[in-house]
Amino acid sequence: MTPSKQEILEQAAACFMEQGFHATSIDDVARRLGATKGRIYHHYASKIDLFFDVHREGMRRLFEAVEPAREAGGDAMTVLAAMLRAHAMAVLTHHTFESVVAQGVQMHRFGATTPAQRQTLDELIASRDRFEQLFKDQAQAARDDGSLAPDLDVSVAVKTLLGGIQWSLIWYRPEADRDAASKDRLADAMVRTLVDGVRRRREAGQVKPGLPRRSGT
Amino acid sequence: MTPSKQEILEQAAACFMEQGFHATSIDDVARRLGATKGRIYHHYASKIDLFFDVHREGMRRLFEAVEPAREAGGDAMTVLAAMLRAHAMAVLTHHTFESVVAQGVQMHRFGATTPAQRQTLDELIASRDRFEQLFKDQAQAARDDGSLAPDLDVSVAVKTLLGGIQWSLIWYRPEADRDAASKDRLADAMVRTLVDGVRRRREAGQVKPGLPRRSGT
DNA sequence: GTCTATATGGTGATAGAC
DNA sequence: GTCTATCACCATATAGAC
């Protein structure tokens, strides 16, 4: 990927996050690049193609963040928690791209598209489904080994977990000059809420901490 | 409120949910009404005013749903769970209007508005903040009486709880002909996930965890 | 109160200079 | 590879008939 294309992706992601796909004009993106739209149309045939490429990059970053946690091993609930934590960090860190992923999901449900666009979007959504399936599989493994609350519907539970994290796209203010440690604390707080719930655990001998703590910094 | 205005609100909410504010044209809403845009402009001065009125109605329905649960009494965690459940039911039932509320929050962060629009939107967002504060106050009460996990940040926890519910705006398919009982089960599943967490609660003496198993199914 | 017709402005996309 | 200039289209909003 050329540096120019990468820069277009970054600025487009910022515009799409702030204003949404339809309210963002190609001129908006170009202005943010300090350029004119000729530059963008040289690399992308249409606004929707640019949007799809941002979406694709957003998905790539999600997989990149979560896969190491998934493959690290350990007992099933610990791995699930680590995956959620990695996902939370990815959403907080790449929030412009992940906002576009969320918009793409909405567009898939209702957006009017040409057949060619439809196919591209179908592929992106299939990728999103595979991502969610990683969490469902891990939750099922935790259910099988008895570390997940046995009365929960795995599909609804996973959607609720991911939703709790992803809603930070709505309320998180990255412009409030956050450092990495601040994001770490926030991701921790979200995942602990989701994994252990808000209701106090009263059972005797709560020997296992909620999550593996990240040492340092 | 005249029946005509109510009908405009309903169809506008549906359009705004499906396509978003910017992608929805006044003609789209009119077409859904089986009318032309003259009808809409007779009642609303502009598209943004119509949007704001949908947003306002969405907030009204949220308060209407949650306040009875809040005032029902009981111990603090029980009331918090009942509020979350009422909220989940409201989001599932009025998902078109609540989608608009979520869009309004986004618009408040980034949307370009005239000063008059800005003031209206500020008021709507203040209302949304008061709504969230109901949950924060209740969570704090639960913390005070020891029924909430004491190490949680109340603000982040509440945002995560509400987010887990509100993300159903993205994935829930109301068109799949759901009855009220189905919504009840879904709301229950979400709230249980959030209040008690996905990690199994072990009774005392049952603390021995097995090795992680990868059994099939 | 709702319709038709239209003025006005903005946006996606293209053509061609450099 | 990027720019300027331009076209064709669509959407908001208004005016005025009925």
Side-chain angles (χ1 to χ4, degrees), chain B residues 180-196:
Chain B
S182 166
K183 285 191 174 69
D184 268 336
R185 280 193 297 274
L186 195 47
D188 244 9
M190 289 193 288
V191 174
R192 273 212 321 242
T193 300
L194 293 165
V195 170
D196 285 327

Side-chain angles (χ1 to χ4, degrees), chain A residues 140-215:
Chain A
Q140 186 60 51
R143 196 180 214 230
D144 291 343
D145 83 358
S147 58
L148 187 137
D151 57 333
L152 292 182
D153 178 294
V154 165
S155 175
V156 174
V158 164
K159 283 179 191 305
T160 304
L161 295 175
L162 295 181
I165 289 167
Q166 283 153 192
W167 197 258
S168 69
L169 292 169
I170 303 287
W171 56 263
Y172 179 62
R173 302 283 193 275
E175 67 273 18
D177 195 26
R178 311 255 189 170
D179 54 12
S182 167
K183 286 191 175 70
D184 267 337
R185 280 192 298 275
L186 194 47
D188 242 10
M190 289 193 288
V191 174
R192 273 211 323 240
T193 300
L194 293 166
V195 170
D196 284 327
V198 287
R199 192 199 300 276
R200 182 176 189 179
R201 293 185 175 237
R202 297 176 176 282
E203 65 265 18
Q206 193 173 357
V207 279
K208 298 201 77 171
L211 277 178
R213 287 320 184 86
R214 166 170 300 197
S215 60

Side-chain angles (χ1 to χ4, degrees), chain A residues 18 22-23 109-110 146-147 149 151 166-167 172-173 175 192 195-196 198-203 210, chain B residues 18 22-23 109-110 146-149 151 166-167 172-173 175 192 195-196 198-202 215:
Chain A
E18 292 182 6
H22 289 282
R109 278 188 74 175
F110 298 112
S147 58
D151 57 333
Q166 283 153 192
W167 197 258
Y172 179 62
R173 302 283 193 275
E175 67 273 18
R192 273 211 323 240
V195 170
D196 284 327
V198 287
R199 192 199 300 276
R200 182 176 189 179
R201 293 185 175 237
R202 297 176 176 282
E203 65 265 18
Chain B
E18 293 183 5
H22 290 282
R109 280 188 73 176
F110 298 112
S147 58
L148 187 137
D151 57 333
Q166 283 153 193
W167 197 258
Y172 179 61
R173 302 282 192 275
E175 66 272 19
R192 273 212 321 242
V195 170
D196 285 327
V198 286
R199 191 200 300 276
R200 182 177 190 177
R201 293 183 177 241
R202 298 172 187 279
S215 59

Side-chain angles (χ1 to χ4, degrees), chain B residues 149-160:
Chain B
D151 57 333
L152 292 182
D153 178 294
V154 165
S155 176
V156 174
V158 164
K159 284 180 189 304
T160 303

